Amino acid sequence: MANPTDHGAEALKTTPLTSRHQAAGARMVPFAGYSMPLQYEGIVAEHKATRENAGLFDVSHMGQILLTESRPGAAAAWLEKLTPSDIAGLAEGQARYTVLTNEAGGVVDDLIITRFGDTFRLVVNGARRAAVAAHFETYADPDVRIAPLDRALIALQGPAAEAVLAPHVNSPIGELSFMHAIETTAFGAGAMVSRCGYTGEDGFEISLPNETAGEAWDALVGDDRVSPVGLGARDTLRLEAGLCLYGQDLDETISPIEASLLWIIPKARRTEGGFLGEARILKEIADKPARKRVGLAVEGRVPVRSGAPIALDGAEIGTVTSGGVGPSVGAPIAMGFVPPEHAATGTRLAAIVRGKSVDVSVAKLPFLASRTKRKGN
Amino acid sequence: MKRFTKDHEWVELDGDILTVGITEHAQEALGDITFVELPEAGRTLAAGDSFAVVESVKAASDVYAPVAGEVTDVNAALDDKPELVNDAAETDGWFIKLKIADAGAIDGLMDRAAYDAYLKTIE
């Protein structure tokens, strides 16, 4: 998910659910070119509702794309040039988090890729739709067709998500494990239901036709266990889960190795390469990156926010890229980039807030243990 | 009688001591408040000086001195309970007390009716 961008007087786009957010009294803000809900009841209440029961998010601003191929294997091979991950090896309905890299080894966007047969479904950041389209155009393959999907996307996240959603889906979603999806019927329409999310909780994302989204939203939000959640709590939830926000923790100059995303690159690809930016990325794997994304536990109660310098013995050594208060952690938390020699858990550093030094220490990510339903859970 | 600024502070004068806080509208806009950084007693403020920072879950916001004065007291209760500002912005959630030299300095601020009318123009 990317930063809010100022679109000035430019007309904001709406999602199929915008009128419902307004009717519910949500505070609306411009985000990725859309008018989106920042909060309904309040960020802390929505955050806790998601961790304790279930939160419902409109993420229709995100870009949904369908890839098809005219030559067997072309789409997977093309995606393996654009990402450093294993795409050919994805099983039916399996989803993978990865990044699109550029020639310089930076990140064009982070995304989820899901395989269905010989097609792939992509979900990219709303604010990166145009950049991703331009990137795909640059590396176009005549055997791979790229079709944007004009569909709604809603996320239901939290421990009650499965029980709430199951009656509305014509497939046993309890059998899905984390990062797996099915194409099925949900709320009476053709839908893709994926067990994934951006909160660290168990939960689902449901891609629906625009005309079905309103009914689906009403049915879910009408359930006592469900609270609608805006972008504010989406940010505090993902920060506690240690997940990157494009535009803050990822950008075109930050490599996936610097972003501590080595885990998205399987062993074979670390030796064989074959993806954009491999020269820098493979070198950073073999040696060390110049900087590394780490979690920061903040002492005291002064939140440390994006842009705050990170210092060691009075010398600036890095920058905070995401930060705020973790409502479930109960303290300020942050993520930032520091040289690898200062990235060990427990390393004591300082963040500079309004000219004053705030004690921080490198902390393991995520800040809260993930509760996703992995195989064997 | 309380008076209000366009920056959404309220003030209330008792003798030469001015109590200053942020308005109900301001706390509502800021959302869940997690920390309030207050000045030291004894600090001298010029009108327009940033004297406090309110940290909410959303963002950090400066609070400005509506008039000049010397800080005689700060609301220590906010240290343990910053949420007092959400719960009682215009009473128990006050920020500072200012000793002011010129009681006439607050005459230019809005009364409740004028502030309510102002809020309508910015919504």
Side-chain angles (χ1 to χ4, degrees):
Chain A
M1 200 169 85
N3 255 331
T5 34
D6 183 6
H7 287 257
E10 209 176 296
L12 291 172
K13 288 180 273 193
T14 57
T15 78
L17 300 167
T18 303
S19 59
R20 282 173 168 80
H21 305 320
Q22 289 166 334
R27 188 172 304 160
M28 305 297 287
V29 292
F31 186 84
Y34 286 78
S35 174
M36 297 299 289
L38 175 67
Q39 64 177 61
Y40 303 79
E41 188 190 343
I43 294 174
V44 172
E46 292 164 31
H47 177 110
K48 290 187 172 167
T50 305
R51 294 255 183 262
E52 286 159 18
N53 287 296
L56 183 63
F57 304 72
D58 177 12
V59 284
S60 303
H61 63 294
M62 298 189 82
Q64 301 180 63
I65 297 165
L66 176 67
L67 292 194
T68 52
E69 61 191 14
S70 54
R71 178 172 52 80
W78 186 70
L79 286 170
E80 289 201 350
K81 181 183 171 188
L82 299 187
T83 76
S85 294
D86 172 19
I87 306 300
L90 279 176
E92 175 70 13
Q94 191 179 3
R96 188 150 278 160
Y97 171 80
T98 184
V99 298
L100 299 169
T101 47
N102 59 27
E103 302 269 8
V107 175
V108 176
D109 199 11
D110 60 339
L111 75 166
I112 304 271
I113 299 175
T114 309
R115 174 202 281 274
F116 292 104
D118 54 4
T119 70
F120 293 90
R121 292 276 292 262
L122 278 51
V123 177
V124 305
N125 281 299
R128 298 299 290 169
R129 280 175 197 247
V132 169
H135 185 71
F136 284 176
E137 184 65 33
T138 303
Y139 297 98
D141 180 322
D143 292 325
V144 179
R145 186 169 167 271
I146 300 155
L149 298 175
D150 184 15
R151 290 167 71 84
L153 190 66
I154 57 180
L156 185 67
Q157 300 279 299
E162 182 186 322
V164 170
L165 183 62
H168 303 287
V169 182
N170 298 18
S171 301
I173 59 168
E175 292 171 11
L176 282 177
S177 60
F178 183 60
M179 298 307 281
H180 286 78
I182 37 167
E183 287 184 308
T184 181
T185 300
F187 304 95
M192 176 175 82
V193 178
S194 306
R195 197 159 206 161
C196 65
Y198 195 49
T199 61
E201 296 295 325
D202 180 29
F204 299 85
E205 290 184 358
I206 308 119
S207 167
L208 288 163
N210 288 331
E211 55 276 18
T212 309
E215 263 173 66
W217 182 272
D218 293 343
L220 292 172
V221 93
D223 189 303
D224 287 346
R225 293 164 288 186
V226 176
S227 305
V229 182
L231 295 171
R234 185 171 155 82
D235 194 48
T236 55
L237 288 159
R238 72 92 195 169
L239 178 59
E240 285 185 340
L243 300 170
C244 290
L245 171 59
Y246 195 92
Q248 288 187 194
D249 313 299
L250 292 172
D251 67 30
E252 292 193 359
T253 70
I254 297 170
S255 80
I257 307 307
E258 290 177 329
S260 298
L261 296 176
L262 175 65
W263 61 272
I264 70 171
I265 311 176
K267 287 237 162 61
R269 305 221 67 198
R270 292 179 202 178
T271 45
E272 291 157 21
F275 48 86
L276 294 178
E278 68 168 276
R280 172 182 173 190
I281 291 167
L282 295 183
K283 184 169 186 303
E284 287 181 354
I285 294 172
D287 304 333
K288 264 180 184 169
R291 53 187 173 171
K292 203 166 177 300
R293 177 175 63 99
V294 295
L296 297 168
V298 180
E299 283 174 34
R301 286 176 300 157
V302 178
V304 169
R305 299 184 190 273
S306 173
I310 300 171
L312 177 65
D313 300 330
E316 188 171 329
I317 60 159
T319 309
V320 172
T321 49
S322 282
V325 172
S328 300
V329 171
I333 48 174
M335 298 194 294
F337 284 80
V338 297
E341 59 271 28
H342 304 301
T345 299
T347 304
R348 301 186 63 80
L349 301 167
I352 310 302
V353 179
R354 298 185 285 276
K356 286 179 226 162
S357 182
V358 174
D359 289 338
V360 301
S361 58
V362 175
K364 274 203 183 109
L365 293 175
F367 293 100
L368 275 192
S370 166
R371 298 202 285 181
T372 54
K373 300 283 178 199
R374 289 171 197 273
K375 271 188 195 138
N377 275 22
Chain B
M1 186 186 84
K2 279 197 177 68
R3 290 188 174 271
F4 302 86
T5 73
K6 287 191 172 179
D7 293 327
H8 310 288
E9 289 104 16
W10 61 264
V11 303
E12 192 160 29
L13 190 63
D14 181 8
D16 61 351
I17 300 296
L18 192 72
T19 305
V20 184
I22 66 169
T23 65
E24 185 58 30
H25 170 85
Q27 73 77 16
E28 172 70 31
L30 291 169
D32 305 293
I33 291 167
T34 59
F35 179 71
V36 182
E37 188 177 289
L38 292 169
E40 302 276 316
R43 190 173 145 197
T44 302
L45 300 176
D49 278 358
S50 165
F51 71 83
V53 178
V54 183
E55 293 275 6
S56 72
V57 172
K58 226 175 290 170
S61 310
D62 286 305
V63 185
Y64 303 98
V67 297
E70 185 195 330
V71 179
T72 59
D73 196 8
V74 301
N75 189 353
L78 299 186
D79 206 39
D80 282 340
K81 291 191 71 182
E83 63 271 23
L84 260 183
V85 182
N86 288 122
D87 298 340
E90 298 186 11
T91 52
D92 293 347
W94 62 276
F95 279 28
I96 58 168
K97 293 190 188 291
L98 267 185
K99 184 173 182 174
I100 61 171
D102 173 16
I106 67 165
D107 290 349
L109 303 181
M110 292 176 277
D111 62 13
R112 172 82 66 185
Y115 179 65
D116 286 346
Y118 169 68
L119 289 181
K120 289 207 171 68
T121 67
I122 58 171
E123 267 164 11

